[in-house]
Amino acid sequence: MTQLELPKVSQLARSILDEVETAVIGKRDALTMVLSGILAGGHVLLEDFPGLGKTLAARSFAQTLGLDFARAQFTPDLLPADLTGSFIFDQRVNEFSFRKGPLFTGLLLADEINRTPPKTQAALLEAMQERQVTIEGETFALDAPFHVLATANPVEYEGTYPLPEAQLDRFMIQVSFGYPTLDEEWDVLHRRLDRQREEQTLRGIIDAPTLLDMQAAVEQVTVDESVGRYCVALATATRSHAHVLMGSSPRGSLALMLVARSFAVIAGRDYVTPEDVKAVATAVLAHRIAVKPELWMSNASGASVVAAVLASVPTPAALEPDNA
């Protein structure tokens, strides 16, 4: 199998974003961040207000990436078996057979993930971290690629179960879309009138094997030691900030480097710059930071801590590889 060259990966990534943006209008930066997380092999948490395109974005990525897609609506009565599947007695052959749940897919949309109890969240956590599920003592591996795009509503707390820090840490990035501008919102309405139907179908730009090839190609991106140490310095600085109860784990510095690498490829480069790290820092680190309880009613947040850390940690000099 011939490995994809990085310029080809960049071209495909931009084509994917162009196609997704025909459905999710005016959110190129946020969509780029989501794709960076996927190319880095991670899972993405989409936290934003209702109706801002989270579910649409997940479905659009599944179509353009050519992945099998499953959607699980998380509710307070959702059981682990509703995600993983279970053994069903088949009277025709007089034995139990395994019926797969929605976890056995290429891209899982975990809708309103914070509405389900911890026991069900734990089943999802195993799948996210170990790429496998365990049912009645038997382990089933999940085929690659496997990615979770989870949505959460930050304003409704009644009947919700906040994600534990350990599970938040498993999400490589957290992305918010935010409200559209006036022109972007009119564009949404205008395209709906032209389409004359509710549903949107996007072109498949790649397929699952090509996504795996793209992810393998990203591994060839050059990361200078100074840039890697910058990732470590940023993550470490979050642990000693005055507002922080718990800072980023080492998994955060690793994710920072991996997502910056994908971000660089999408931008058309085969090496990572400090600016790439800065561009992805909030999406990678903010949800890994727990602010002290006495500051919950203030403006202190994970994002504000990351902004302060970016301003205080010295930026290494940009080093471009010598191609001579």
Side-chain angles (χ1 to χ4, degrees):
M1 182 176 62
T2 304
Q3 182 172 316
L4 284 176
E5 298 292 329
L6 285 173
K8 180 63 174 177
V9 175
S10 301
Q11 177 193 338
L12 288 173
R14 286 192 289 270
S15 297
I16 290 166
L17 290 173
D18 289 342
E19 186 66 16
V20 173
E21 204 174 16
T22 64
V24 186
I25 297 164
K27 301 300 176 187
R28 183 76 174 207
D29 290 345
L31 295 175
T32 300
M33 208 62 65
V34 173
L35 183 57
S36 296
I38 293 173
L39 288 181
H43 308 290
V44 180
L45 178 61
L46 304 172
E47 185 175 83
D48 220 326
F49 302 121
L52 295 183
K54 302 184 297 293
T55 303
L56 176 61
R59 190 178 299 274
S60 299
F61 271 112
Q63 290 177 348
T64 55
L65 297 174
L67 301 180
D68 292 335
F69 178 74
R71 178 179 180 272
Q73 181 66 49
F74 281 50
T75 58
D77 60 351
L78 190 75
L79 299 174
D82 295 329
L83 288 180
T84 62
S86 58
F87 286 95
I88 305 295
F89 186 72
D90 190 343
Q91 292 183 333
R92 292 172 298 180
V93 294
N94 205 33
E95 63 181 26
F96 284 92
S97 60
F98 179 61
R99 181 174 296 172
K100 294 180 178 180
L103 275 177
F104 290 84
T105 188
L107 192 149
L108 173 70
L109 170 61
D111 222 353
E112 297 189 283
I113 187 175
N114 55 337
R115 288 200 175 279
T116 203
K119 188 174 183 179
T120 305
Q121 291 179 3
L124 178 64
L125 179 61
E126 180 190 9
M128 290 170 58
Q129 183 63 23
E130 309 296 336
R131 311 287 170 135
Q132 65 181 31
V133 296
T134 303
I135 301 107
E136 297 183 18
E138 190 170 345
T139 299
F140 298 85
L142 300 174
D143 293 335
F146 170 70
H147 296 280
V148 174
L149 266 62
T151 70
N153 185 341
V155 291
E156 293 181 19
Y157 296 107
E158 189 168 345
T160 64
Y161 304 82
L163 294 181
E165 277 71 16
Q167 187 161 352
L168 281 172
D169 205 26
R170 272 13 180 241
F171 285 100
M172 188 168 276
I173 59 173
Q174 177 181 307
V175 178
S176 297
F177 288 137
Y179 285 109
T181 65
L182 291 175
D183 288 340
E184 289 167 353
E185 193 162 351
W186 160 240
D187 200 9
V188 172
L189 273 60
H190 180 64
R191 294 191 189 198
R192 172 62 180 84
L193 292 173
D194 286 347
R195 198 165 60 245
Q196 297 185 353
R197 65 181 189 280
E198 188 60 39
E199 66 279 358
Q200 300 184 68
T201 303
L202 303 184
R203 293 183 301 121
I205 304 299
I206 61 172
D207 54 18
T210 305
L211 176 59
L212 292 175
D213 289 344
M214 292 173 71
Q215 292 172 338
V218 171
E219 294 290 339
Q220 309 306 313
V221 175
T222 301
V223 181
D224 187 79
E225 181 180 344
S226 64
V227 175
R229 287 187 176 274
Y230 182 52
C231 295
V232 172
L234 290 174
T236 303
T238 66
R239 301 167 200 162
S240 57
H241 192 280
H243 293 170
V244 169
L245 178 66
M246 184 187 70
S248 170
S249 69
R251 188 183 282 118
S253 56
L254 177 61
L256 196 53
M257 182 185 70
L258 296 178
V259 177
R261 205 168 56 173
S262 299
F263 188 84
V265 171
I266 295 174
R269 279 179 276 102
D270 61 357
Y271 60 92
V272 179
T273 68
E275 296 307 313
D276 295 325
V277 176
K278 290 181 179 181
V280 305
T282 301
V284 173
L285 296 179
H287 66 289
R288 292 181 159 90
I289 296 169
V291 174
K292 291 178 179 177
E294 60 266 28
L295 297 174
W296 286 352
M297 300 304 290
S298 71
N299 291 326
S301 65
S304 70
V305 171
V306 174
V309 164
L310 287 172
S312 63
V313 174
T315 304
L319 294 175
E320 297 194 9
D322 184 6
N323 294 322

